[in-house]
Amino acid sequence: RPRALSGIQPTAGSFHLGNYLGAVRQYVALQETHDAFYMVVDLHAITVPQDPKELRANTRLAAAQLLAAGLDPERCTLFVQSHVPEHAQLGWVMNCLTGFGEASRMTQFKDKSAKQGAGATTVGLFTYPILQVADILLYQADAVPVGEDQRQHIELTRDLAERFNGRFGDTFTLPAAHIVRETAKIYDLQDPSAKMSKSTANPKGLINLLDEPKVSAKKIKSAVTDTDTVIRFDPENKPGVSNLLTIYATLTGTGMADLEQKYEGKGYGALKTDLAEVMVDWVTPFRARTQEYLDDPETLDSVLAKGAEKARAVAAETLAQAYDKVGFLPAK
Ligand code: ATP
Ligand code: MG
């Protein structure tokens, strides 16, 4: 079986719809075809300030949501990044292979640091893509399921894997981004030119999966569309409507042509009302399942402990090879 690896941040409160459609849905699908490793990336989370108590709670919350979304610990390895120290260890080696200019070209860093201001930006935020390189290479991953915004970081991973292999001999598998075109970028409901993101300026554009279903329904009903009335999938000219259609098609498994036909001659109001209902029907059981996992933290923690043990076995072997190739003296 090919390997898959991905990670998601322990976001305060809830995953959002972009996380689910762009990434988590693919995690669930790849369990069937891949030897899959998924982790809650708490090391990445501290690139911005975190309250310790909240970080711990949000880490459990993220794991609970992953299980509620359909990850099955019998069919994949689910763990917490900080439980596997090899991530930070290989991260350092990768830092030492990365050019400063190369790291400076990462557009996510430019965007995020511009939002925060230079005074608040940490070196950790600057080097986080390089830690991500280590995350992926440790598992010799073939496929990395992510949204479009991560494409550049996967390219960096391939570059660094090639550089290491070229300099020290074949060690790492070159991974490929697994990006599903239709859902690679879910847009902000209020600004369909921007990606839906937890750090949006306008919370009305962001669907948090664990919000009251009523709140999410309302956000869908007030989504920005256009002054035309035709319901057609046309991302270039009708980005708002097309985003709603993508969400609808993906959550219900309906083909785009069938959807367009269903709404022929109907207005945006009908589409939004129906999609709001689809949304409520999806989030209601998702919220209940998440709560069940949260209500049983012992089981949750034991899933994560077993996952870390499985992950570590793989990660430790790769790290030992890499350390040896680099020329570190064995400890014994
Ligand atoms: P931030 O904006 O702070 O980076 P985020 O919303 O991107 O946060 P992450 O934990 O960084 O959350 O992303 C988890 C996964 O979700 C990544 O694979 C990312 O590519 C994907 N993702 C995030 N937003 C979207 C989106 N709007 N559409 C599709 N995929 C997305
Ligand atoms: Mg992100």
Side-chain angles (χ1 to χ4, degrees), residues 158-193:
R158 293 174 63 90
D159 289 347
L160 287 173
E162 271 190 306
R163 192 170 306 158
F164 188 103
N165 290 349
R167 200 169 295 178
F168 301 111
D170 214 12
T171 309
F172 295 117
T173 301
L174 261 56
H178 176 88
I179 299 177
V180 173
R181 187 174 44 84
E182 289 81 0
T183 49
K185 195 169 176 184
I186 300 299
Y187 295 90
D188 186 298
L189 297 181
Q190 290 297 318
D191 175 7
S193 70

Side-chain angles (χ1 to χ4, degrees), residues 122-168:
T122 66
V123 175
L125 187 70
F126 182 65
T127 62
Y128 115 80
I130 304 161
L131 178 58
Q132 199 179 315
V133 168
D135 296 341
I136 297 167
L137 298 184
L138 271 178
Y139 297 90
Q140 307 287 10
D142 301 284
V144 187
V146 285
E148 180 62 42
D149 59 329
Q150 289 294 328
R151 190 183 290 279
Q152 193 186 28
H153 294 165
I154 312 304
E155 281 305 313
L156 178 69
T157 309
R158 293 174 63 90
D159 289 347
L160 287 173
E162 271 190 306
R163 192 170 306 158
F164 188 103
N165 290 349
R167 200 169 295 178
F168 301 111

Side-chain angles (χ1 to χ4, degrees), residues 77-301:
T77 303
L78 173 63
F79 65 102
V80 174
Q81 188 184 26
S82 66
H83 292 176
V84 181
E86 285 80 3
H87 290 260
Q89 293 175 290
L90 185 64
W92 176 253
V93 175
M94 291 299 150
N95 268 304
C96 297
L97 280 183
T98 310
F100 186 80
E102 191 175 30
S104 307
R105 285 195 291 276
M106 295 298 118
T107 58
Q108 281 227 19
F109 173 75
K110 287 192 238 177
D111 293 349
K112 289 187 180 182
S113 58
K115 269 190 205 166
Q116 289 181 342
T121 298
T122 66
V123 175
L125 187 70
F126 182 65
T127 62
Y128 115 80
I130 304 161
L131 178 58
Q132 199 179 315
V133 168
D135 296 341
I136 297 167
L137 298 184
L138 271 178
Y139 297 90
Q140 307 287 10
D142 301 284
V144 187
V146 285
E148 180 62 42
D149 59 329
Q150 289 294 328
R151 190 183 290 279
Q152 193 186 28
H153 294 165
I154 312 304
E155 281 305 313
L156 178 69
T157 309
R158 293 174 63 90
D159 289 347
L160 287 173
E162 271 190 306
R163 192 170 306 158
F164 188 103
N165 290 349
R167 200 169 295 178
F168 301 111
D170 214 12
T171 309
F172 295 117
T173 301
L174 261 56
H178 176 88
I179 299 177
V180 173
R181 187 174 44 84
E182 289 81 0
T183 49
K185 195 169 176 184
I186 300 299
Y187 295 90
D188 186 298
L189 297 181
Q190 290 297 318
D191 175 7
S193 70
K195 126 183 150 106
M196 185 179 282
S197 159
K198 62 177 179 251
S199 45
T200 177
N202 188 349
K204 280 174 70 188
L206 173 72
I207 301 274
N208 284 310
L209 299 181
L210 294 177
D211 276 355
E212 280 292 334
K214 270 191 307 205
V215 172
S216 299
K218 200 168 161 200
K219 287 181 183 175
I220 290 198
K221 286 183 187 163
S222 52
V224 165
T225 44
D226 53 50
T227 53
D228 188 25
T229 55
V230 184
I231 295 176
R232 174 166 48 86
F233 184 73
D234 178 355
E236 203 151 301
N237 301 304
K238 302 172 79 68
V241 176
S242 301
N243 191 39
L244 296 179
L245 286 170
T246 297
I247 296 168
Y248 196 136
T250 314
L251 286 180
T252 59
T254 316
M256 199 52 86
D258 290 341
L259 259 193
E260 285 178 339
Q261 201 171 28
K262 177 172 173 177
Y263 288 100
E264 212 181 303
K266 295 190 185 151
Y268 293 158
L271 172 68
K272 288 179 176 176
T273 305
D274 291 352
L275 179 56
E277 206 179 299
V278 164
M279 196 63 179
V280 170
D281 288 349
W282 193 88
V283 297
T284 303
F286 174 80
R287 295 174 84 223
R289 283 196 299 272
T290 302
Q291 192 55 51
E292 279 171 34
Y293 289 110
L294 290 176
D295 287 342
D296 186 2
E298 272 166 40
T299 302
L300 192 59
D301 289 355

